[in-house]
Amino acid sequence: LVNSGADGFHFYTLNLERSTTRILAALGAVDIIFDNTSATSKKSKKITQNGDETNDLNADSQHSNGSSSITPARRERNESISEEAMSTRRVLPWKPSAMANRSKEDVRPINWSNRPKSYVMRTDEWDEFPNGRWGDSTSPAFGELSDVSHFYSFTLGSEDDRRAMLGHRPLLETDIYEVFAKYVEGTVPHIPWCETPLQPESFLIQPQLAKLNRFGFLTINSQPPVDGLPSSHPVFGWGGKGGRVYQKAYFEFFLSPDKVEILSQMVTHHPNLNLYAVNYAGRDLRVGVEEGGVTALTWGVFPNREILQPTIFDPDIFLVWADEAFSLWSSMWLNLYDFGSESYELVENIRDTYYLVAIIDNEFTDGGKTDDEFSLLTHLLAVGKNSSAS
């Protein structure tokens, strides 16, 4: 809303100020006071497009409503989110929950990045939430990822609205590919696996990502590599000032069996790549993967703090997510068409035969490469081009 030009906001707290306070803190509009002895007033900070900080949130902002920055009254807090983290636009790469029992949660699997409400619902009854490291996902303290989110689906509007977005009468696989490509380009606002438009960090590879989808790699999650950018970076920054952030390239997509075979062969020739794939029937495939394997995909190094790794990939959790991901073909797309129609059979065939693929590039250092030479994306595009030509 801020980026869209909203002039101001009015919050109804109903005597429960916690959520509102966290929203304002995440926006950088207030400072949280952790000291129990004094309530020191501080100026809010704003990160500009070039990564510089300005001391007055409203002085130069076109969204100013004329109000001054607010410092809440002193309160005791037992939070994992430090005061320093409020100086950047994001506390974590993903949006933390405002619920009190999740206040220390700082690690999540990447798979639900674009369906965070579903993840929160599936983990709602956990006794503990990962803090500092993911750990053993089978731990009784964490509990199981419940099936409740299978009943959760954000609205895509009326049935007519959904058909307008997903297709009135798709007849060819390329018709489906085009929907995914248009989502990447921003002309389709949502798809069943993504509640929000494309994340800003993927804008850097947006044209290539759209081309990849038109080759039949139906992407639902992706991130480019990052090698030690400042934590104040306007796109990739998170976690507080004075740090450095890193991430491995990651892509997740639906892909036809013939292309999965070609992709698998490519991965065998690149030891830095790991591939995980599973189809609707539960047949899974792993290439370039040793036994074990929770992988940190995003991490940060900050002064006077341990290394943070807020986003991970867990092969076992991927299989749980895949069950949900395949169910969305049925609950949010297939049911738009009459049983037995050509469109129905097309979507059903994609659901039943395609694989959900996750691929990780463990080489995150830039090595002098430019954005156009982003190796994993280049390899995927080459596979797509060659398989489409054959």
Side-chain angles (χ1 to χ4, degrees):
L1 290 173
V2 170
N3 293 336
S4 298
D7 293 325
F9 306 96
H10 189 94
F11 292 93
Y12 290 91
T13 64
L14 302 179
N15 295 326
L16 298 172
E17 88 291 350
R18 179 184 179 82
S19 296
T20 301
T21 301
R22 289 174 67 91
I23 291 170
L24 293 172
L27 288 171
V30 298
D31 290 322
I32 303 298
I33 303 302
F34 291 87
D35 188 277
N36 292 332
T37 60
S38 65
T40 305
S41 175
K42 300 181 180 181
K43 288 184 178 180
S44 297
K45 293 185 177 181
K46 172 185 171 184
I47 307 300
T48 63
Q49 287 296 316
N50 61 6
D52 297 327
E53 294 182 357
T54 59
N55 287 328
D56 188 348
L57 178 68
N58 295 311
D60 301 316
S61 173
Q62 63 179 335
H63 310 310
S64 171
N65 60 6
S67 62
S68 61
S69 58
I70 303 169
T71 301
R74 183 178 73 241
R75 68 189 75 244
E76 294 185 8
R77 288 181 179 272
N78 183 19
E79 302 272 349
S80 65
I81 301 172
S82 67
E83 182 180 6
E84 289 81 4
M86 301 307 172
S87 65
T88 59
R89 301 183 69 176
R90 297 189 298 173
V91 176
L92 294 166
W94 39 268
K95 183 180 178 181
S97 171
M99 293 187 290
N101 64 329
R102 304 183 80 110
S103 63
K104 294 187 177 182
E105 178 187 25
D106 62 8
V107 186
R108 285 185 184 179
I110 194 171
N111 311 99
W112 282 269
S113 294
N114 295 318
R115 275 177 61 86
K117 292 180 182 177
S118 172
Y119 180 77
V120 170
M121 290 178 69
R122 297 192 74 151
T123 57
D124 185 54
E125 295 183 358
W126 283 10
D127 295 327
E128 298 177 11
F129 296 93
N131 173 248
R133 60 188 296 272
W134 177 248
D136 182 3
S137 60
T138 64
S139 167
F142 292 159
E144 296 181 358
L145 280 158
S146 74
D147 292 334
V148 67
S149 71
H150 283 253
F151 302 99
Y152 162 72
S153 61
F154 63 95
T155 179
L156 291 178
S158 67
E159 224 171 75
D160 288 339
D161 292 334
R162 291 167 62 196
R163 286 195 182 94
M165 281 187 281
L166 303 177
H168 290 281
R169 189 171 175 262
L171 300 177
L172 302 173
E173 289 182 330
T174 52
D175 295 334
I176 303 297
Y177 300 173
E178 192 64 20
V179 173
F180 281 82
K182 287 182 176 179
Y183 166 75
V184 169
E185 292 170 338
T187 56
V188 170
H190 310 287
I191 54 176
W193 303 268
C194 303
E195 301 174 2
T196 59
L198 193 69
Q199 297 298 317
E201 66 178 33
S202 293
F203 291 167
L204 299 175
I205 56 174
Q206 190 175 32
Q208 301 97 317
L209 206 54
K211 182 185 292 185
L212 189 65
N213 278 274
R214 291 188 171 101
F215 282 147
F217 290 68
L218 308 181
T219 59
I220 58 175
N221 205 337
S222 65
Q223 66 176 35
V226 172
D227 183 17
L229 284 177
S231 58
S232 58
H233 190 277
V235 175
F236 296 102
W238 57 270
K241 60 186 178 181
R244 293 282 174 174
V245 295
Y246 303 80
Q247 62 188 40
K248 295 180 181 180
Y250 176 83
F251 284 87
E252 191 176 309
F253 45 82
F254 293 101
L255 191 64
S256 64
D258 56 321
K259 289 187 175 74
V260 169
E261 185 176 347
I262 298 171
L263 182 61
S264 299
Q265 293 172 3
M266 183 274 285
V267 170
T268 60
H269 293 96
H270 295 85
N272 55 302
L273 300 180
N274 291 347
L275 180 146
Y276 303 81
V278 63
N279 65 9
Y280 182 61
R283 180 175 181 269
D284 66 324
L285 173 68
R286 299 186 181 191
V287 181
V289 180
E290 297 179 358
E291 288 299 321
V294 174
T295 301
L297 294 180
T298 306
W299 65 100
V301 181
F302 300 90
N304 304 314
R305 299 162 71 184
E306 294 183 352
I307 291 177
L308 305 179
Q309 49 180 42
T311 310
I312 60 91
F313 178 88
D314 184 329
D316 295 330
I317 297 300
F318 172 65
L319 296 179
V320 177
W321 157 247
D323 186 42
E324 177 176 335
F326 279 110
S327 75
L328 293 174
W329 283 106
S330 302
S331 63
M332 298 189 72
W333 201 327
L334 187 63
N335 62 5
L336 289 176
Y337 312 114
D338 293 334
F339 178 79
S341 67
E342 291 180 82
S343 296
Y344 185 99
E345 291 181 353
L346 171 65
V347 176
E348 184 181 46
N349 181 66
I350 290 176
R351 182 200 65 186
D352 292 349
T353 63
Y354 276 42
Y355 280 78
L356 179 64
V357 179
I359 188 166
I360 301 167
D361 187 351
N362 293 292
E363 180 52 76
F364 60 89
T365 57
D366 60 23
K369 295 191 296 290
T370 66
D371 290 339
D372 291 337
E373 295 168 333
F374 170 27
S375 60
L376 177 53
L377 182 55
T378 302
H379 290 318
L380 294 177
L381 286 167
V383 170
K385 183 177 181 179
N386 294 335
S387 60
S388 297
S390 60

